[in-house]
Amino acid sequence: MKICSTIAEARAACLDARARRRRLGLVPTMGALHEGHLSLVRAAKAQCDAVAVSIFVNPTQFGPTEDLSKYPRQFDRDCRLLEKEGVEILFAPPVEEVYPNGGVTWVLVESLSEKLDGRSRPGHFRGVTTIVAKLFHIIEPEAAFFGQKDAAQLAVIRRMVRDLNFPEEIVACPIVRESDGLAMSSRNAYLTREERSRALVLQRSLQKARQLFDDGERSAAKLISAAAKEVFASEPLVVLDYFEIVDPDTLDPVERISRRTLVAVAARVGSTRLIDNVVLEP
Ligand code: PAF
């Protein structure tokens, strides 16, 4: 695996990989890799001839009071995992390489960036789209792989790609869960044992929504009331941020579920903010 810490090195390595083979896949990450990330790498390997992974804890997507400084960093372990998966190129630049002094240019997907996580984390998606656009310019992959767990991020990135005519194919990969159902996240490492068990309420609320949907309920308001209000009432120490039933592309709320619909939840367990979702298909 070639480890590149500068943009010039990454460009050269990716050009070389694309010259030798046809399709280059990119898996953008912030490191602290878990099975969810590795499932993206495996999907990229299955669909591409060579795989590049980026590890960059992107400061512009963290708010001033968020967890940038304590975000888990495990570079040596991450390298070992990626090497084992047969990743060809790892791009792991320092912050100054990506954001040299004086940068004032942003990529902003208006309106969508203010929904779901964008509402609770102002500026977050502007940071995400800016770094993903930069990575696409540097790596120039044919396809990029993202987890369905970050459903709002996926919608925002798809919209950026569409509006700015990026050639990259965006591939969404299924949520990977722990054996008890908790969606895998690098932030799960922050949870105490007690919080870890309380955190299962996110998954329980989504299961309740799915069960009511499978039983024939199509009213979003009824699902929200039974799944969010009632289930979260059983875990008063978990603070619900949002529980929304929305169109997966526009992130606009739907009243009745008549086509593919996203049920998304975010909540704070102690000081850790977790998200999860399920897609309902009538
Ligand atoms: O999903 C993530 O880990 C990040 O938001 C991403 C896409 C790597 C951009 O920093």
Side-chain angles (χ1 to χ4, degrees), residues 23-268:
R23 192 170 148 89
L24 177 64
L26 170 66
V27 180
T29 81
M30 298 206 300
L33 303 179
H34 50 67
E35 274 301 311
H37 297 111
L38 299 182
S39 76
L40 302 181
V41 172
R42 287 170 201 147
K45 280 213 72 146
Q47 295 180 37
C48 299
D49 305 302
V51 177
V53 172
S54 61
I55 294 183
F56 181 63
V57 183
N58 174 35
T60 64
Q61 69 187 75
F62 289 79
T65 59
E66 292 184 349
D67 55 341
L68 174 62
S69 60
K70 72 165 188 175
Y71 196 85
R73 288 158 171 91
Q74 311 170 347
F75 188 68
D76 293 342
R77 179 179 173 275
D78 289 349
C79 284
R80 283 197 297 278
L81 290 171
L82 295 176
E83 194 105 51
K84 238 184 175 164
E85 296 294 331
V87 167
E88 196 157 308
I89 298 162
L90 171 59
F91 179 42
V95 173
E96 319 75 69
E97 178 73 6
V98 177
Y99 295 111
N101 279 340
V104 290
T105 305
W106 299 97
V107 177
L108 172 65
V109 177
E110 284 184 355
S111 167
L112 259 189
S113 292
E114 282 143 37
K115 295 173 181 167
L116 300 188
D117 307 289
R119 191 177 318 116
S120 326
R121 305 182 65 190
H124 169 67
F125 284 130
R126 183 183 77 159
V128 170
T129 39
T130 300
I131 188 62
V132 171
K134 278 172 170 276
L135 291 170
F136 284 2
H137 282 310
I138 295 164
I139 308 292
E140 296 190 70
E142 270 67 35
F145 295 75
F146 295 90
Q148 169 64 29
K149 183 172 78 73
D150 298 292
Q153 166 171 286
L154 204 49
V156 171
I157 289 171
R158 282 192 196 286
R159 189 59 195 251
M160 172 188 82
V161 162
R162 197 191 92 175
D163 287 358
L164 296 182
N165 310 100
F166 278 89
E168 281 80 5
E169 180 193 350
I170 302 301
V171 182
C173 299
I175 298 176
V176 178
R177 298 182 180 281
E178 305 281 357
S179 55
D180 58 5
L182 186 68
M184 287 201 182
S185 162
S186 304
R187 290 191 166 96
N188 289 352
Y190 299 150
L191 300 170
T192 64
R193 186 195 285 256
E194 197 193 323
E195 288 170 343
R196 171 79 184 58
S197 112
R198 292 190 194 288
L200 294 173
V201 69
L202 277 84
Q203 156 77 346
R204 278 206 305 279
S205 69
L206 295 172
Q207 274 171 345
K208 177 80 182 177
R210 176 177 286 292
Q211 179 212 316
L212 292 170
F213 173 79
D214 288 345
D215 291 346
E217 184 59 69
R218 293 293 180 267
S219 153
K222 290 209 176 121
L223 291 191
I224 291 171
S225 164
K229 301 208 175 103
E230 287 172 27
V231 176
F232 272 86
S234 69
E235 252 339 326
L237 295 181
V238 176
V239 181
L240 184 61
D241 176 353
Y242 65 72
F243 186 100
E244 289 198 39
I245 301 191
V246 299
D247 178 288
D249 299 321
T250 64
L251 305 182
D252 285 332
V254 301
E255 280 180 16
R256 289 197 68 75
I257 303 170
S258 56
R259 53 180 193 280
R260 197 168 176 272
T261 298
L262 174 71
V263 183
V265 62
R268 219 165 257 292

